[in-house]
């Protein structure tokens, strides 16, 4: 009798004791952004309107690390899962991507092209969608909001480019190889969401803390694949490269005004109540 082997091909059956189906390969892409360290200075270049990336150290955005942690937790208990991290950004990015590889990602892609400097949300989403399509995916996992740009729309825009369902701002989830079920906390309650894969999911800071890379992970990261894709590698029509939005004004954030000091001379309660009413805080 002939029995199928692991890869579905027929074997003589001499060494086979059971019929084993090929494991489903689950491909998870995690979009991670490199940002200026939130503990350092964050500055805006008032001539270009871009974030001054040299104002402090460049690190992986923490919410992106949490998205990677969620993917790695799934990989830990689901054999056959492959996690690839993708980041679009300047030349400094590979160092941050090595950290993601040290945490446990299998492969990394850096989307970088001199012609893309200053890419806005629309163009970045198109690039990330094209990169995810080229890499192949069952699930794209992202943070909900970056700490520098804080646009909060990249995940939905990427889903739109890929014509995939999106479940965004999830604060809890259950992932299987064919569905994602999750919940989004809102001011008024909790919204339950469900989507078939392939899908795009963004998660909030309610997700578990990211793991620290181990020494073994740091050593292994040096040998893991890290590719750089330029515009010519992606199916994006960006010639000439133009941002999809126009910056109309740039201004430095006004410094904080001194607060009002209330000294209790018997009227402090009335003053406080008046302040709360005037500022519509009650
Ligand atoms: C060559 C190049 C140079 C760039 N230079 C700059 C620059 O100087 N300053 C600057 O601020 N931005 C730069 N970008 C990045 C790009 O402009 C921003 O990433 C984009 O506008 C996203 O805005 P956001 O952070 O508000 O997104 P949000 O919608 O707030 O991000 C939500 C989530 O989307 C994902 N995401 C967002 N951006 C990226 C990204 N770039 N790569 C991977 N995942 C991402 C993350 O998971 C993030 O948590 C550059 C991009 C390229 C390709």
């Amino acid at each position: 009798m002939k029995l199928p082997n692991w890869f579905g091909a027929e074997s003589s059956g001499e060494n086979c004791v059971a019929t084993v189906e090929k494991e489903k390969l689950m491909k998870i892409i995690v979009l991670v952004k490199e940002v200026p360290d939130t503990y350092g200075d964050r500055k805006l270049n008032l001539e270009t309107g871009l974030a001054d990336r040299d104002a402090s150290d460049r690190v992986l955005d923490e919410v992106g690390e949490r998205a990677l942690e969620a993917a790695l937790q799934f990989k830990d208990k689901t054999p056959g899962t492959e996690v690839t991290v993708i980041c679009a950004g300047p030349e400094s990015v590979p160092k941050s991507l090595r950290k993601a590889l040290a945490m446990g990602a299998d492969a990394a892609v850096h989307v970088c092209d001199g012609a893309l400097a200053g890419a806005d949300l629309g163009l970045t989403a198109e690039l990330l969608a094209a990169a995810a399509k080229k890499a192949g995916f069952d699930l794209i996992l992202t943070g909900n909001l970056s700490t520098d740009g804080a646009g909060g729309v990249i995940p939905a825009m990427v889903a739109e480019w890929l014509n995939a369902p999106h479940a965004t701002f999830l604060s809890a989830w259950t992932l299987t190889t064919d569905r994602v079920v999750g919940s989004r906390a809102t001011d008024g309650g909790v919204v339950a969401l469900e989507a078939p894969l392939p899908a795009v999911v963004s998660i909030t800071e309610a997700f578990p803390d990211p793991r620290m890379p181990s020494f073994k992970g740091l050593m292994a990261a040096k040998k893991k694949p890290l590719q750089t894709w330029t515009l010519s590698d992606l199916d994006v029509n960006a010639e000439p490269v133009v941002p999809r939005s126009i910056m109309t004004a740039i201004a430095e954030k006004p410094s904080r005004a001194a607060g009002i000091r209330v000294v209790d001379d018997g009227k402090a309660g009335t003053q406080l109540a008046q302040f709360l009413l005037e500022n519509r805080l009650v």
Side-chain angles (χ1 to χ4, degrees), residues 8 20 46 73 81-82 93 116 118 127 134 148 151-152 155 161 171 175 178 203 226 233 270-271 275 281:
V20 185
L46 293 182
Q73 285 187 12
T81 303
E82 189 182 282
V93 161
L116 294 172
L127 291 169
K134 183 174 159 81
D148 63 343
W161 276 107
S171 46
L175 176 66
D178 57 6
I203 59 106
L226 194 164
D233 296 308
T270 317
Q271 265 178 284
F275 174 84
L281 295 170

Side-chain angles (χ1 to χ4, degrees), residues 18 55 79 87 126 202 217 249:
C87 179
E126 193 177 343
S202 79

Side-chain angles (χ1 to χ4, degrees), residues 31-33 53 86 88 119 121 124 142-143 145-146 149-154:
L31 299 182
V32 287
K33 188 180 181 190
R53 292 187 165 220
I86 299 182
L121 284 151
T124 304
T142 79
L145 185 77
S146 72
V153 291
I154 287 277

Side-chain angles (χ1 to χ4, degrees), residues 50-67:
L50 298 176
D52 179 357
R53 292 187 165 220
D54 292 323
S56 60
D57 292 342
R58 300 166 193 212
V59 295
L60 281 181
D61 203 356
E62 200 204 299
V63 72
E65 287 189 357
R66 282 178 200 267

Side-chain angles (χ1 to χ4, degrees), residues 99-184:
K99 181 183 177 193
L101 292 171
M103 285 170 70
D106 299 293
V109 174
H110 176 204
V111 177
C112 186
D113 193 308
L116 294 172
D120 65 355
L121 284 151
L123 182 53
T124 304
E126 193 177 343
L127 291 169
L128 293 172
K133 196 170 170 187
K134 183 174 159 81
F137 65 93
D138 294 295
L139 174 72
I140 299 179
L141 200 49
T142 79
N144 61 328
L145 185 77
S146 72
T147 46
D148 63 343
V153 291
I154 287 277
M157 284 173 141
V158 167
E160 183 71 18
W161 276 107
L162 295 167
N163 202 18
H166 60 100
T168 51
F169 284 76
L170 295 193
S171 46
W173 76 344
T174 304
L175 176 66
T176 59
T177 49
D178 57 6
R179 289 197 96 61
V180 58
V181 179
S183 55
R184 177 194 297 157

Side-chain angles (χ1 to χ4, degrees), residues 34-50:
E34 189 187 67
V35 297
D37 193 344
T38 37
Y39 290 104
D41 280 340
R42 271 175 289 170
K43 287 191 190 145
L44 202 58
N45 181 319
L46 293 182
E47 273 174 34
T48 61
L50 298 176

